Amino acid sequence: FINTNYLSMTCCDEEYNEFLNLGIAYRKDCLELLDYYTLFEDSSSPFVDRAPLAADFLWSCGDNSMIFKLINVHFDSNAGGVSQAFQNRLEASEIINSYIEDQMSINSLSNIIVLGDFNDSIDDPENSNSLWPLISDDNLYFVDTDIANGTQTNWSYPSYPSHIDHILINQNLFDENINSTISTLLLNQYITNYSTISDHRPVLWSVPINNQDITNGLVINEIMYFTSQGPNGDWFEITNIDQSPI
């Protein structure tokens, strides 16, 4: 069950991903959407008109906060044949890799997550792995590697079967991955005829959040000083964010 008061959907209009609507659902009570945009519109060929959808978020809890970039991708499955699809995925991987490197050169503190349907396994050898530019980069990591190397029961694409839906993080999020958990949501066990909804199963990356220091008591909420406008002159506003009256 989803409380829609706390859920917001970022989706594309005709200006974004006009050939395929990619969306990102997020909890708006703990995430602030800063911006969203389509990537690589000038390089749409390897993405087969499914240009990635990126969104910048601000997460905050207590006195702590983090800005991160989420990139939703859908790589080529079989457009133009197996060989062409492989080449498209390989080129798309190279483009994503170069983009992350560029983002890190602009801001070394950038936190980047790339997720979606990559349409290829990450456990194949180099010469037959279209995702190798991402896999071989020591500054990147697929957090679902254990699922890919594990039993097919937990693979995201059961009808083949294969594991082709992944979550990729850059090195700034490696610490968050230390105590994280990764799993495939086996929705077919809970939803009758789930295959009529989707032939893929979601992959979930859970990151624990340490106890946060929450400011309480009286805080100065707003200050107006050195003003001659209005009858009140200089003033400040105090807010009680404690649980009890003060």
PDB file of all heavy atoms in Angstrom, residues 153 155-156 158 184-195 197-198 200-203:
ATOM      1  N   THR A 153      17.180 -18.307  -8.981  1.00  0.00           N
ATOM      2  CA  THR A 153      15.905 -18.035  -8.297  1.00  0.00           C
ATOM      3  C   THR A 153      15.728 -16.551  -8.050  1.00  0.00           C
ATOM      4  O   THR A 153      14.599 -16.039  -8.057  1.00  0.00           O
ATOM      5  CB  THR A 153      15.849 -18.784  -6.958  1.00  0.00           C
ATOM      6  OG1 THR A 153      16.036 -20.178  -7.190  1.00  0.00           O
ATOM      7  CG2 THR A 153      14.522 -18.549  -6.255  1.00  0.00           C
ATOM      8  N   TRP A 155      17.187 -14.070  -9.886  1.00  0.00           N
ATOM      9  CA  TRP A 155      17.478 -13.243 -11.041  1.00  0.00           C
ATOM     10  C   TRP A 155      16.253 -12.405 -11.427  1.00  0.00           C
ATOM     11  O   TRP A 155      15.109 -12.810 -11.184  1.00  0.00           O
ATOM     12  CB  TRP A 155      17.929 -14.104 -12.209  1.00  0.00           C
ATOM     13  CG  TRP A 155      19.301 -14.680 -12.014  1.00  0.00           C
ATOM     14  CD1 TRP A 155      20.193 -14.361 -11.028  1.00  0.00           C
ATOM     15  CD2 TRP A 155      19.925 -15.692 -12.809  1.00  0.00           C
ATOM     16  NE1 TRP A 155      21.342 -15.098 -11.162  1.00  0.00           N
ATOM     17  CE2 TRP A 155      21.219 -15.918 -12.249  1.00  0.00           C
ATOM     18  CE3 TRP A 155      19.547 -16.411 -13.929  1.00  0.00           C
ATOM     19  CZ2 TRP A 155      22.106 -16.851 -12.776  1.00  0.00           C
ATOM     20  CZ3 TRP A 155      20.433 -17.336 -14.471  1.00  0.00           C
ATOM     21  CH2 TRP A 155      21.694 -17.544 -13.896  1.00  0.00           C
ATOM     22  N   SER A 156      16.514 -11.269 -12.030  1.00  0.00           N
ATOM     23  CA  SER A 156      15.437 -10.298 -12.272  1.00  0.00           C
ATOM     24  C   SER A 156      14.585 -10.617 -13.491  1.00  0.00           C
ATOM     25  O   SER A 156      13.487 -10.089 -13.631  1.00  0.00           O
ATOM     26  CB  SER A 156      16.040  -8.900 -12.438  1.00  0.00           C
ATOM     27  OG  SER A 156      16.842  -8.832 -13.618  1.00  0.00           O
ATOM     28  N   PRO A 158      13.105 -13.787 -15.003  1.00  0.00           N
ATOM     29  CA  PRO A 158      12.954 -15.232 -14.809  1.00  0.00           C
ATOM     30  C   PRO A 158      12.578 -16.002 -16.068  1.00  0.00           C
ATOM     31  O   PRO A 158      12.839 -17.202 -16.148  1.00  0.00           O
ATOM     32  CB  PRO A 158      11.838 -15.326 -13.760  1.00  0.00           C
ATOM     33  CG  PRO A 158      11.054 -14.064 -13.931  1.00  0.00           C
ATOM     34  CD  PRO A 158      12.050 -13.009 -14.328  1.00  0.00           C
ATOM     35  N   THR A 184      16.222  -9.162  -4.882  1.00  0.00           N
ATOM     36  CA  THR A 184      15.227  -9.077  -5.950  1.00  0.00           C
ATOM     37  C   THR A 184      13.862  -9.290  -5.322  1.00  0.00           C
ATOM     38  O   THR A 184      13.663 -10.237  -4.556  1.00  0.00           O
ATOM     39  CB  THR A 184      15.485 -10.144  -7.019  1.00  0.00           C
ATOM     40  OG1 THR A 184      16.802  -9.967  -7.555  1.00  0.00           O
ATOM     41  CG2 THR A 184      14.479 -10.021  -8.147  1.00  0.00           C
ATOM     42  N   LEU A 185      12.937  -8.408  -5.625  1.00  0.00           N
ATOM     43  CA  LEU A 185      11.588  -8.539  -5.079  1.00  0.00           C
ATOM     44  C   LEU A 185      10.831  -9.568  -5.905  1.00  0.00           C
ATOM     45  O   LEU A 185      10.482  -9.330  -7.059  1.00  0.00           O
ATOM     46  CB  LEU A 185      10.870  -7.189  -5.117  1.00  0.00           C
ATOM     47  CG  LEU A 185      11.546  -6.046  -4.358  1.00  0.00           C
ATOM     48  CD1 LEU A 185      10.683  -4.793  -4.396  1.00  0.00           C
ATOM     49  CD2 LEU A 185      11.832  -6.439  -2.922  1.00  0.00           C
ATOM     50  N   LEU A 186      10.559 -10.711  -5.306  1.00  0.00           N
ATOM     51  CA  LEU A 186       9.903 -11.807  -6.012  1.00  0.00           C
ATOM     52  C   LEU A 186       8.395 -11.588  -5.995  1.00  0.00           C
ATOM     53  O   LEU A 186       7.634 -12.308  -5.356  1.00  0.00           O
ATOM     54  CB  LEU A 186      10.292 -13.136  -5.373  1.00  0.00           C
ATOM     55  CG  LEU A 186      11.809 -13.388  -5.228  1.00  0.00           C
ATOM     56  CD1 LEU A 186      12.076 -14.738  -4.603  1.00  0.00           C
ATOM     57  CD2 LEU A 186      12.515 -13.270  -6.573  1.00  0.00           C
ATOM     58  N   LEU A 187       7.973 -10.566  -6.717  1.00  0.00           N
ATOM     59  CA  LEU A 187       6.567 -10.163  -6.682  1.00  0.00           C
ATOM     60  C   LEU A 187       5.643 -11.234  -7.247  1.00  0.00           C
ATOM     61  O   LEU A 187       4.452 -11.253  -6.933  1.00  0.00           O
ATOM     62  CB  LEU A 187       6.386  -8.853  -7.453  1.00  0.00           C
ATOM     63  CG  LEU A 187       7.144  -7.648  -6.896  1.00  0.00           C
ATOM     64  CD1 LEU A 187       6.832  -6.401  -7.722  1.00  0.00           C
ATOM     65  CD2 LEU A 187       6.807  -7.413  -5.434  1.00  0.00           C
ATOM     66  N   ASN A 188       6.187 -12.127  -8.065  1.00  0.00           N
ATOM     67  CA  ASN A 188       5.356 -13.191  -8.623  1.00  0.00           C
ATOM     68  C   ASN A 188       4.860 -14.140  -7.541  1.00  0.00           C
ATOM     69  O   ASN A 188       3.907 -14.898  -7.760  1.00  0.00           O
ATOM     70  CB  ASN A 188       6.140 -13.967  -9.680  1.00  0.00           C
ATOM     71  CG  ASN A 188       7.480 -14.447  -9.178  1.00  0.00           C
ATOM     72  OD1 ASN A 188       8.326 -13.649  -8.780  1.00  0.00           O
ATOM     73  ND2 ASN A 188       7.682 -15.765  -9.195  1.00  0.00           N
ATOM     74  N   GLN A 189       5.494 -14.108  -6.352  1.00  0.00           N
ATOM     75  CA  GLN A 189       5.039 -14.939  -5.245  1.00  0.00           C
ATOM     76  C   GLN A 189       3.852 -14.328  -4.508  1.00  0.00           C
ATOM     77  O   GLN A 189       3.195 -14.999  -3.729  1.00  0.00           O
ATOM     78  CB  GLN A 189       6.190 -15.170  -4.259  1.00  0.00           C
ATOM     79  CG  GLN A 189       7.366 -15.945  -4.839  1.00  0.00           C
ATOM     80  CD  GLN A 189       8.463 -16.183  -3.813  1.00  0.00           C
ATOM     81  OE1 GLN A 189       8.360 -15.754  -2.663  1.00  0.00           O
ATOM     82  NE2 GLN A 189       9.523 -16.869  -4.226  1.00  0.00           N
ATOM     83  N   TYR A 190       3.596 -13.057  -4.764  1.00  0.00           N
ATOM     84  CA  TYR A 190       2.550 -12.345  -4.033  1.00  0.00           C
ATOM     85  C   TYR A 190       1.427 -11.830  -4.933  1.00  0.00           C
ATOM     86  O   TYR A 190       0.329 -11.552  -4.453  1.00  0.00           O
ATOM     87  CB  TYR A 190       3.155 -11.156  -3.271  1.00  0.00           C
ATOM     88  CG  TYR A 190       4.303 -11.537  -2.375  1.00  0.00           C
ATOM     89  CD1 TYR A 190       5.627 -11.390  -2.798  1.00  0.00           C
ATOM     90  CD2 TYR A 190       4.071 -12.083  -1.108  1.00  0.00           C
ATOM     91  CE1 TYR A 190       6.679 -11.755  -1.981  1.00  0.00           C
ATOM     92  CE2 TYR A 190       5.120 -12.449  -0.289  1.00  0.00           C
ATOM     93  CZ  TYR A 190       6.427 -12.284  -0.732  1.00  0.00           C
ATOM     94  OH  TYR A 190       7.474 -12.655   0.079  1.00  0.00           O
ATOM     95  N   ILE A 191       1.717 -11.672  -6.214  1.00  0.00           N
ATOM     96  CA  ILE A 191       0.735 -11.112  -7.140  1.00  0.00           C
ATOM     97  C   ILE A 191       0.381 -12.171  -8.174  1.00  0.00           C
ATOM     98  O   ILE A 191       1.238 -12.652  -8.917  1.00  0.00           O
ATOM     99  CB  ILE A 191       1.282  -9.859  -7.851  1.00  0.00           C
ATOM    100  CG1 ILE A 191       1.657  -8.792  -6.822  1.00  0.00           C
ATOM    101  CG2 ILE A 191       0.270  -9.312  -8.842  1.00  0.00           C
ATOM    102  CD1 ILE A 191       2.297  -7.562  -7.423  1.00  0.00           C
ATOM    103  N   THR A 192      -0.885 -12.536  -8.222  1.00  0.00           N
ATOM    104  CA  THR A 192      -1.338 -13.535  -9.180  1.00  0.00           C
ATOM    105  C   THR A 192      -1.154 -13.018 -10.600  1.00  0.00           C
ATOM    106  O   THR A 192      -1.474 -11.874 -10.912  1.00  0.00           O
ATOM    107  CB  THR A 192      -2.821 -13.871  -8.933  1.00  0.00           C
ATOM    108  OG1 THR A 192      -2.980 -14.306  -7.575  1.00  0.00           O
ATOM    109  CG2 THR A 192      -3.286 -14.972  -9.871  1.00  0.00           C
ATOM    110  N   ASN A 193      -0.615 -13.875 -11.460  1.00  0.00           N
ATOM    111  CA  ASN A 193      -0.383 -13.513 -12.863  1.00  0.00           C
ATOM    112  C   ASN A 193       0.474 -12.261 -12.983  1.00  0.00           C
ATOM    113  O   ASN A 193       0.197 -11.373 -13.802  1.00  0.00           O
ATOM    114  CB  ASN A 193      -1.712 -13.317 -13.600  1.00  0.00           C
ATOM    115  CG  ASN A 193      -2.538 -14.593 -13.646  1.00  0.00           C
ATOM    116  OD1 ASN A 193      -1.986 -15.690 -13.761  1.00  0.00           O
ATOM    117  ND2 ASN A 193      -3.850 -14.454 -13.542  1.00  0.00           N
ATOM    118  N   TYR A 194       1.516 -12.193 -12.144  1.00  0.00           N
ATOM    119  CA  TYR A 194       2.400 -11.022 -12.186  1.00  0.00           C
ATOM    120  C   TYR A 194       3.012 -10.837 -13.573  1.00  0.00           C
ATOM    121  O   TYR A 194       3.291  -9.712 -13.995  1.00  0.00           O
ATOM    122  CB  TYR A 194       3.510 -11.166 -11.143  1.00  0.00           C
ATOM    123  CG  TYR A 194       4.548 -10.072 -11.209  1.00  0.00           C
ATOM    124  CD1 TYR A 194       4.261  -8.780 -10.769  1.00  0.00           C
ATOM    125  CD2 TYR A 194       5.812 -10.313 -11.745  1.00  0.00           C
ATOM    126  CE1 TYR A 194       5.206  -7.772 -10.839  1.00  0.00           C
ATOM    127  CE2 TYR A 194       6.762  -9.309 -11.823  1.00  0.00           C
ATOM    128  CZ  TYR A 194       6.451  -8.039 -11.365  1.00  0.00           C
ATOM    129  OH  TYR A 194       7.385  -7.037 -11.449  1.00  0.00           O
ATOM    130  N   SER A 195       3.215 -11.922 -14.308  1.00  0.00           N
ATOM    131  CA  SER A 195       3.835 -11.829 -15.627  1.00  0.00           C
ATOM    132  C   SER A 195       3.016 -11.000 -16.603  1.00  0.00           C
ATOM    133  O   SER A 195       3.542 -10.524 -17.609  1.00  0.00           O
ATOM    134  CB  SER A 195       4.062 -13.231 -16.196  1.00  0.00           C
ATOM    135  OG  SER A 195       2.829 -13.928 -16.324  1.00  0.00           O
ATOM    136  N   ILE A 197       1.826  -8.186 -15.765  1.00  0.00           N
ATOM    137  CA  ILE A 197       2.187  -6.811 -15.410  1.00  0.00           C
ATOM    138  C   ILE A 197       3.580  -6.493 -15.941  1.00  0.00           C
ATOM    139  O   ILE A 197       3.813  -5.436 -16.527  1.00  0.00           O
ATOM    140  CB  ILE A 197       2.139  -6.611 -13.885  1.00  0.00           C
ATOM    141  CG1 ILE A 197       0.735  -6.912 -13.347  1.00  0.00           C
ATOM    142  CG2 ILE A 197       2.569  -5.202 -13.511  1.00  0.00           C
ATOM    143  CD1 ILE A 197       0.651  -6.900 -11.837  1.00  0.00           C
ATOM    144  N   SER A 198       4.521  -7.405 -15.711  1.00  0.00           N
ATOM    145  CA  SER A 198       5.894  -7.183 -16.146  1.00  0.00           C
ATOM    146  C   SER A 198       6.605  -8.521 -16.261  1.00  0.00           C
ATOM    147  O   SER A 198       6.316  -9.462 -15.512  1.00  0.00           O
ATOM    148  CB  SER A 198       6.640  -6.290 -15.155  1.00  0.00           C
ATOM    149  OG  SER A 198       8.000  -6.169 -15.522  1.00  0.00           O
ATOM    150  N   HIS A 200       9.829  -8.522 -15.862  1.00  0.00           N
ATOM    151  CA  HIS A 200      10.993  -8.288 -15.010  1.00  0.00           C
ATOM    152  C   HIS A 200      10.547  -8.205 -13.545  1.00  0.00           C
ATOM    153  O   HIS A 200       9.384  -7.941 -13.248  1.00  0.00           O
ATOM    154  CB  HIS A 200      11.691  -6.974 -15.378  1.00  0.00           C
ATOM    155  CG  HIS A 200      12.318  -6.982 -16.736  1.00  0.00           C
ATOM    156  ND1 HIS A 200      13.678  -6.954 -16.928  1.00  0.00           N
ATOM    157  CD2 HIS A 200      11.768  -7.010 -17.969  1.00  0.00           C
ATOM    158  CE1 HIS A 200      13.944  -6.972 -18.217  1.00  0.00           C
ATOM    159  NE2 HIS A 200      12.800  -6.995 -18.880  1.00  0.00           N
ATOM    160  N   ARG A 201      11.518  -8.423 -12.646  1.00  0.00           N
ATOM    161  CA  ARG A 201      11.253  -8.258 -11.221  1.00  0.00           C
ATOM    162  C   ARG A 201      12.166  -7.162 -10.681  1.00  0.00           C
ATOM    163  O   ARG A 201      13.332  -7.070 -11.069  1.00  0.00           O
ATOM    164  CB  ARG A 201      11.485  -9.575 -10.480  1.00  0.00           C
ATOM    165  CG  ARG A 201      10.571 -10.683 -10.972  1.00  0.00           C
ATOM    166  CD  ARG A 201      10.680 -11.945 -10.163  1.00  0.00           C
ATOM    167  NE  ARG A 201      11.996 -12.571 -10.229  1.00  0.00           N
ATOM    168  CZ  ARG A 201      12.222 -13.854  -9.926  1.00  0.00           C
ATOM    169  NH1 ARG A 201      11.221 -14.633  -9.557  1.00  0.00           N
ATOM    170  NH2 ARG A 201      13.438 -14.355  -9.995  1.00  0.00           N
ATOM    171  N   PRO A 202      11.656  -6.309  -9.782  1.00  0.00           N
ATOM    172  CA  PRO A 202      12.459  -5.181  -9.276  1.00  0.00           C
ATOM    173  C   PRO A 202      13.650  -5.643  -8.447  1.00  0.00           C
ATOM    174  O   PRO A 202      13.611  -6.682  -7.782  1.00  0.00           O
ATOM    175  CB  PRO A 202      11.464  -4.403  -8.403  1.00  0.00           C
ATOM    176  CG  PRO A 202      10.105  -4.883  -8.810  1.00  0.00           C
ATOM    177  CD  PRO A 202      10.293  -6.299  -9.252  1.00  0.00           C
ATOM    178  N   VAL A 203      14.716  -4.853  -8.495  1.00  0.00           N
ATOM    179  CA  VAL A 203      15.899  -5.075  -7.670  1.00  0.00           C
ATOM    180  C   VAL A 203      15.959  -3.962  -6.634  1.00  0.00           C
ATOM    181  O   VAL A 203      15.813  -2.782  -6.967  1.00  0.00           O
ATOM    182  CB  VAL A 203      17.181  -5.081  -8.531  1.00  0.00           C
ATOM    183  CG1 VAL A 203      18.414  -5.265  -7.655  1.00  0.00           C
ATOM    184  CG2 VAL A 203      17.112  -6.183  -9.582  1.00  0.00           C
TER     185      VAL A 203
END
